[in-house]
Amino acid sequence: MRVLVLVCLVATSAFAADTTRYEVISSGKITGKHLRWSHGPGQTSYHYEFNDRGRGPKIVVHLKTSDGLVVERTATGHDYFKAPVEESFSYANGSAQWKNHIENDKKQAEGKLLYSPLNSVPAEIELTLKALIKAPGHQLDVVPSGKLKATHIKNHSTKLDGLTIELELYSFTGSGGPPQYLWFTPKHDFFATISGWSSTIVEGHSDLIEELKELQDELEEEYFYQQAKKLTEVTTEPVAIKNVNVLDIAKGVIIAGQTVIIEDGKIAMIGKAKKVDVPAHATIIDGANKTLMPGLWDNHVHYDISQGLYHIAAGVTNVKDMGNSLDLPNRKKEVDEGALLGPDIMVMSGFIDFAGPFAGPTGKIVGTLEEGLAAVDFYSDKGYQQVKLYSSIPVDWVKPLAERAHQKNLKVVGHIPSFMTAERAVRDGYDQIIHMNMVMLNFLGDTLDTRSMGRFTKVGERAGKVDVDGTSAKQFVALLKEKNVVVDPTIGIFEQMFVNKPGKLANGYSSIISMFPAEFKRTFYYGGLPTAHDPEYSSSLDKMMKMLKLLHSSGITIVPGTDDFPGFALHRELELYAQAGISNAEVLRAATLVSAKVAGKDAEFGTVEIGKKANLILIDGDPLKNISDVRKVELTIKGRSLYEPKSLYASYGFGFWK
């Protein structure tokens, strides 16, 4: 495979005169390259690579077209997490065949069709667009399954090489989720894909990114504004949930046969169904045989307007944002006002990292301690509640940054910086540790460079040998308790990385995989980190689960977060807590009342209690008996707003749980 990649790179040089070059831009810096060249009529090749904190793909694709359709495709190289890529596709005589590391299949088909690569590169979408433009309704069938449609959105005049040209913006739909937008030339050659995190654009024209992003943002925002209007039922009259079983989170018990009255977005009355007078003109909701409980909290998200729907549909009504672009306060305001769909953003975290090859992808990237202190001041002035320190922060900076943050009444959370132990980070001022691998790294010493993949692979290889019952672990846990340090484990991420296998359904999704559109289903068969250390990785996940149980049983405050697929990943996180031996009542308390307390918002949220804001969910089941019933959300209430998850999911092409 390495030989193939080398040959392809040599070919790139040989066809330099025919090569179109693109730049991958992240945080205003070039982080990768993308090339396209031709070998002759109907033969196109692409090279794509970028570096994201030591991660990133390096893929070469060869395509052969006939009558505008891709009839042969090969891809080689490695993916984002450095796993080998070797993918092939062919289509001839009505038979499509494809093979990759999770699939080896074929399908008979009539007429024209498209292949959806498991490992694609941005510019090859141009061939897809050209095929769709020729198709009736600009739509074609896709293998392995589904359909794809292209829609011309608008033309835009801009300057390119000193000349005024037209660029064309197209949306792509049919794969599930919201529309995806990409920019093309008038000949429908790929020009750019633009996003707030990373963009790929024709070389030398990165100065157009902000211009194109502004135009694209306007269209995307209008889509999501309309989404909120269409899918939100705003109540002006009281709401009565009758004959419902109310989960008393504080006591961990169900109170049966209750009627709950909501007025002006707050809980106004709770009592036995027969004794509560339902106000005239109230909206009546039948809660028979269902459980009413506080809305869930996800304590590790990076809010994006395209993801708000997933949170709400899954019953997530409150979140902590753990690092985002600097327009987060404006996004929060739009969510608060109901213009955008999404959970209440209760905590904003100001992201800070040290400039360099492994710097984080957003927020304030600083080159000196003085710049770091100024970043703390900036976030304080903008209304943030905490700062998040990232992996490249110099060890000696942690204490002064934490002192400045605490002076500003900001909490300090984050990754444990490279070459630092969690113990020292706590002593230097950390209030919260994010990710269970950062906890386990504490026992692997302070000599590891964990700015890139090492923070995953070293833990996977070595954490299985950590003695969670030993003196070191007990002393560390005692320190966390002494300092009132909170832990956000995001343990579901490490289940995915350490034990999921290519071609096998990801753990925890067998009961709901039928909900997902075809393209989403494939991602749950992708597998975890590439490794020759399967036993060690499995053992390390087992030790992480035991550490989670130790932290909880020792009185350390645990708040569930995901840093992953909104909604679905939180449900899995809670299931894992229960599997670790934490009672369902304690798991649910962590995801509601405890999370609200840590955020300083338990006077408003976290329990079904008179006077509190009505951030509530109605579940068709009893999560006290079966924690997986948290997946069965039939209604989400956020103040005056009511949401039907079934309709929310359907708008993104998803089914509903059964």
Side-chain angles (χ1 to χ4, degrees), residues 56-262:
K58 187 174 185 178
I59 299 174
V60 174
V61 173
H62 295 300
L63 296 170
K64 182 178 180 180
T65 59
S66 176
D67 192 25
L69 286 178
V70 174
V71 293
E72 292 182 15
R73 180 186 186 275
T74 62
T76 57
H78 62 72
D79 68 9
Y80 180 78
F81 283 114
K82 309 302 183 183
V85 169
E86 191 163 356
E87 186 172 7
S88 63
F89 165 78
S90 65
Y91 183 46
N93 301 319
S95 177
Q97 300 184 62
W98 63 97
K99 182 179 181 181
N100 51 58
H101 81 290
I102 69 170
E103 299 161 337
N104 185 3
D105 208 349
K106 61 182 178 180
K107 186 175 184 178
Q108 292 297 124
E110 295 183 3
K112 297 182 176 181
L113 58 75
L114 303 170
Y115 172 61
S116 176
L118 190 65
N119 294 280
S120 63
V121 301
E124 64 178 304
I125 190 68
E126 63 192 8
L127 298 179
T128 298
L129 175 62
K130 292 172 183 178
L132 289 170
I133 286 174
K134 295 178 181 179
H138 304 321
Q139 179 173 283
L140 285 173
D141 290 333
V142 176
V143 292
S145 61
K147 294 180 181 294
L148 188 66
K149 181 177 181 178
T151 302
H152 177 265
I153 301 299
K154 68 177 298 180
N155 285 9
H156 174 62
S157 296
T158 189
K159 293 285 186 179
L160 184 62
D161 296 329
L163 300 175
T164 299
I165 69 160
E166 290 283 315
L167 293 179
E168 298 183 355
L169 180 65
Y170 278 82
S171 72
F172 294 83
T173 56
S175 299
Q180 301 297 307
Y181 297 92
L182 294 102
W183 293 90
F184 299 85
T185 70
K187 292 183 178 180
H188 302 130
D189 292 329
F190 174 75
F191 184 79
T193 175
I194 307 293
S195 79
W197 291 83
S198 180
S199 299
T200 300
I201 192 167
V202 170
E203 186 179 65
H205 299 289
S206 59
D207 56 322
L208 293 179
I209 289 176
E210 286 304 314
E211 176 184 337
L212 299 182
K213 184 176 183 300
E214 183 176 346
L215 292 166
Q216 187 175 311
D217 284 350
E218 290 177 3
L219 292 164
E220 291 182 325
E221 286 170 354
E222 183 58 29
Y223 172 87
F224 291 112
Y225 292 152
Q226 293 302 317
Q227 177 191 70
K229 290 180 181 179
K230 179 180 178 181
L231 297 173
T232 304
E233 179 185 349
V234 179
T235 61
T236 56
E237 300 292 342
V239 175
I241 307 171
K242 299 180 65 175
N243 302 307
V244 72
N245 299 324
V246 174
L247 175 54
D248 184 328
I249 282 290
K251 296 180 180 178
V253 297
I254 291 286
I255 305 174
Q258 302 291 292
T259 288
V260 177
I261 307 296
I262 299 169

Side-chain angles (χ1 to χ4, degrees), residues 478-492:
L479 174 66
L480 297 182
K481 189 167 185 178
E482 175 192 343
K483 300 292 187 179
N484 295 316
V485 173
V486 175
V487 176
D488 169 16
T490 66
I491 202 164

Side-chain angles (χ1 to χ4, degrees), residues 631-650:
R631 298 182 184 273
K632 300 179 178 180
V633 181
E634 280 202 348
L635 179 70
T636 299
I637 304 172
K638 193 165 77 90
R640 292 185 174 88
S641 299
L642 307 182
Y643 303 93
E644 185 185 51
K646 186 175 183 179
S647 298
L648 298 182
Y649 282 132

